[in-house]
């Protein structure tokens, strides 16, 4: 799959096979995340890898009972680490760390697709419950849950706005 085929192939998957993710695939995915750009190269986020079934169940519960979170063999939790971007003041602590974490999630999703894996970005969750379940330090605010595994469904492709609507040329 070339880059543009990978972009076309990625879609949110909300059902996973009962099949382990090979450690070398997870390594490749984590390395792809680590190549993501970040403001001032601060990488102002932290990634947690979770395989523990009980913990995953708690995440699913915290994510408004999105049960597929617990079904995935591996779950990544992306957290902000604003202190790493503190050298940029408020902009670093409130904006750059968010952008750093978001692009890392996007890299993870594309890398997963290229590896034949499936993901779904889960943003609807109770932060406190996830923090408690994962035992996160106070300075790491969870912003995205990413279940990863082999797809057990093939949903229809989601639609998009037209380019004409999405993009405006300034003259
Ligand atoms: C910030 C963000 C939060 C999201 N939260 C959820 C979520 O909580 N549950 C879910 O099922 N999908 C969630 N999604 C996935 C979107 O619904 C999905 O990306 C969108 O509908 C487009 O579909 P596609 O990913 O298949 O192209 C989220 C996506 C993003 C970027």
């Amino acid at each position: 799959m070339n880059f543009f085929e990978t972009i076309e192939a990625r879609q949110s998957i909300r059902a996973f096979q009962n099949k382990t993710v090979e450690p070398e695939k997870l390594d490749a995915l984590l390395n792809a995340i680590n190549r993501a750009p970040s403001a001032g190269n601060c990488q102002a986020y932290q990634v947690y890898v979770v395989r523990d079934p009980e913990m995953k169940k708690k995440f699913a519960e915290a994510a408004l009972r999105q049960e597929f979170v617990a079904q995935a063999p591996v779950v990544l939790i992306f957290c902000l680490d604003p202190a790493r971007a503190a050298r940029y003041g408020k902009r670093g602590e409130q904006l750059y760390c968010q952008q750093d974490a978001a692009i890392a999630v996007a890299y993870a999703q594309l890398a997963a697709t290229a590896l034949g894996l499936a993901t779904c970005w889960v943003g609807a969750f109770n932060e406190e419950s996830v923090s408690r379940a994962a035992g996160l330090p106070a300075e790491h605010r969870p912003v995205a849950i990413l279940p990863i595994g082999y797809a057990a469904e093939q949903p229809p492709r989601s639609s998009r706005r037209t380019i004409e609507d999405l993009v405006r040329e300034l003259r």
Side-chain angles (χ1 to χ4, degrees):
M1 243 193 290
N2 73 29
F3 179 70
F4 291 98
E5 288 166 344
T6 303
I7 286 184
E8 279 303 316
R10 188 216 57 79
Q11 62 179 149
S12 296
I13 295 295
R14 299 177 178 89
F16 298 95
Q17 295 175 34
N18 184 14
K19 183 177 168 187
T20 322
V21 170
E22 297 83 343
E24 55 278 15
K25 286 199 176 185
L26 183 59
D27 279 356
L29 190 148
L30 296 174
N31 276 297
I33 293 174
N34 203 24
R35 292 312 307 171
S38 61
N41 205 17
C42 290
Q43 298 184 277
Y45 60 96
Q46 191 72 38
V47 184
Y48 291 91
V49 179
V50 180
R51 293 190 190 83
D52 179 73
E54 288 311 309
M55 210 181 272
K56 287 189 295 180
K57 268 188 214 161
K58 286 182 186 161
F59 295 156
E61 192 72 18
L64 320 175
R65 304 221 170 101
Q66 300 191 69
E67 301 300 340
F68 62 88
V69 171
Q71 210 183 35
V74 184
V75 171
L76 300 186
I77 306 290
F78 289 80
C79 299
L80 306 184
D81 189 349
R84 286 187 182 274
R87 78 164 98 132
Y88 298 114
K90 250 186 164 179
R91 201 162 173 80
E93 290 174 334
Q94 292 176 6
L95 178 65
Y96 292 163
C97 61
Q98 298 268 6
Q99 293 175 324
D100 290 0
I103 197 164
V105 183
Y107 267 51
Q109 291 199 287
L110 290 173
T113 305
L115 291 162
L117 297 166
T119 61
C120 181
W121 184 322
V122 173
F125 59 85
N126 180 298
E127 288 184 20
E128 251 183 60
S129 304
V130 168
S131 293
R132 205 175 323 111
L136 300 179
E139 64 272 21
H140 288 167
R141 176 183 167 203
V143 288
I145 298 176
L146 194 70
I148 302 170
Y150 286 93
E153 64 167 3
Q154 205 181 1
R157 299 210 64 75
S158 53
S159 63
R160 289 294 189 269
R161 293 162 65 187
T162 62
I163 295 296
E164 291 69 32
D165 181 47
L166 185 74
V167 181
R168 290 181 195 173
E169 186 169 340
L170 299 176
R171 299 170 199 273

